[in-house]
Amino acid sequence: MTPAALPFLRELGDLKRIHSAEAPGSIAERLFALGWGALLRGDQPAAVMEQIVGAALVSARLGDLDLAKLIRLGLGPDAVPVLQRAFDEVTGDLDPALAQRLRAALVHGRPAPGAVPSFVGKLARQPRAGVTSPGQPRILLQPAENHAEHCLMVAVYGVLASAWHGADPVAVFLAGMAHHFHNADMPDSGYSGEMLLGDRLDTAIETARAACLDELAAANPVLATTIADALAPIAGDTTPEARAFHVADVLDRVLEIEQHLRAAAVTMDVVLGAYGLVHDGPVKAFHDRILADAGLA
């Protein structure tokens, strides 16, 4: 892990904030639901990982212009090449073998929607705590991410980090998708709340997590066992999978706060100059004059 990876991780993190008229919720929230729907109906975890992570990487540039949408818009056989161009644009530094694996899944698009466990909706409705510290008031940065968004991003980041640690990307993906099971029934009071719970914290977490695993076991016992196995190592950092997971978890936690601070620091010089908000076109000169007359340029 080096600072060179951060710009793309920041870009991916914005999937928590990209919405469209396609459906309620951010892209990250909806990919989380699609992933769990696919896992619950029995799709192979490796295939789900490849489709979800591939879709996330492409969505960093295309947003909700996924395979199904591009086909509905009339692109036909040109839809997949569009996805591949977006993928290639952002994955130059990705491990080549992993990149090849994820790129190959683009032809399948996002997983088909399916029934999801009840914890999926709960995690999407459960906001993250914000910045907390024992004895201090909470720092709330709005809009708050939800736990579904955080879990999805940890799963995606974890797959990217798996190559750095020689980890199984599927196990890391599953751990990321499931690591906040407990927050389906346990509102997030952050570090300060954890300290106040004291020696009862583990009991509360284990009870809430067990409810999610029991729900999975009732519908798909094999999946429940697979998820439990993926979660087991992340209490520490001794396995490659645990280390890749913790890279993803801590980076998403910190980058989420950083994006609020970066947004607050954006200036009009950046927006109009570096980003060309008023971009080239047949009436750009007139637009520039309007902004100058209004004192905005």
Side-chain angles (χ1 to χ4, degrees):
M1 172 65 201
T2 71
L6 290 181
F8 183 49
L9 297 182
R10 291 185 180 109
E11 184 176 0
L12 276 175
D14 281 339
L15 295 181
K16 302 174 188 176
R17 290 166 281 279
I18 299 176
H19 296 247
S20 75
E22 187 70 13
S26 68
I27 290 177
E29 180 181 319
R30 286 183 278 115
L31 286 177
F32 181 75
L34 290 175
W36 276 111
L39 290 168
L40 189 67
R41 71 169 165 255
D43 291 12
Q44 288 300 308
V48 177
M49 179 278 289
E50 291 160 1
Q51 284 183 266
I52 291 294
V53 178
L57 297 179
V58 165
S59 295
R61 294 293 166 90
L62 286 175
D64 259 332
L65 289 174
D66 66 341
L67 179 62
K69 173 63 76 173
L70 291 173
I71 290 173
R72 289 200 300 273
L73 291 172
L75 270 69
D78 293 327
V80 170
V82 170
L83 300 180
Q84 291 170 335
R85 285 198 293 274
F87 183 92
D88 294 342
E89 195 169 282
V90 298
T91 56
D93 294 328
L94 193 60
D95 174 76
L98 179 60
Q100 183 178 19
R101 182 176 179 181
L102 298 175
R103 194 178 192 272
L106 297 179
V107 298
H108 303 298
R110 298 177 184 179
V116 297
S118 66
F119 60 73
V120 170
K122 291 180 180 180
L123 289 170
R125 295 188 297 272
Q126 192 77 277
R128 299 270 287 161
V131 182
T132 67
S133 182
Q136 300 291 330
R138 192 183 303 210
I139 299 174
L140 290 172
L141 299 170
Q142 297 294 325
E145 64 175 330
N146 62 53
H147 279 83
E149 293 167 331
H150 169 66
C151 287
L152 186 281
M153 293 318 308
V154 172
V156 172
Y157 287 173
V159 169
L160 304 186
S162 66
W164 305 337
H165 293 276
D168 173 9
V170 179
V172 179
F173 174 80
L174 295 176
M177 291 284 280
H179 76 288
H180 274 282
F181 267 2
H182 57 284
N183 286 116
D185 287 330
M186 185 177 176
D188 191 352
S189 58
Y191 182 37
S192 57
E194 291 175 356
M195 292 300 98
L196 290 170
L197 281 165
D199 61 7
R200 303 303 291 165
L201 173 64
D202 288 345
T203 298
I205 289 176
E206 289 166 7
T207 300
R209 179 177 288 172
C212 294
L213 289 171
D214 288 346
E215 182 180 6
L216 281 184
N220 188 328
V222 173
L223 176 62
T225 299
T226 301
I227 295 298
D229 290 344
L231 288 171
I234 67 172
D237 61 3
T238 58
T239 69
E241 289 71 30
R243 288 192 288 275
F245 164 82
H246 285 294
V247 167
D249 185 39
V250 72
L251 285 176
D252 187 63
R253 285 159 54 197
V254 174
L255 290 176
E256 174 64 20
I257 304 305
E258 186 208 46
Q259 70 84 22
H260 286 282
L261 305 181
R262 284 190 295 112
V266 171
T267 66
M268 289 304 295
D269 285 342
V270 171
V271 171
L272 292 174
Y275 277 77
L277 177 64
V278 181
H279 51 76
D280 290 342
V283 294
K284 184 177 188 303
F286 184 55
H287 286 172
D288 288 343
R289 198 171 83 207
I290 293 169
L291 295 176
D293 290 347
L296 291 171

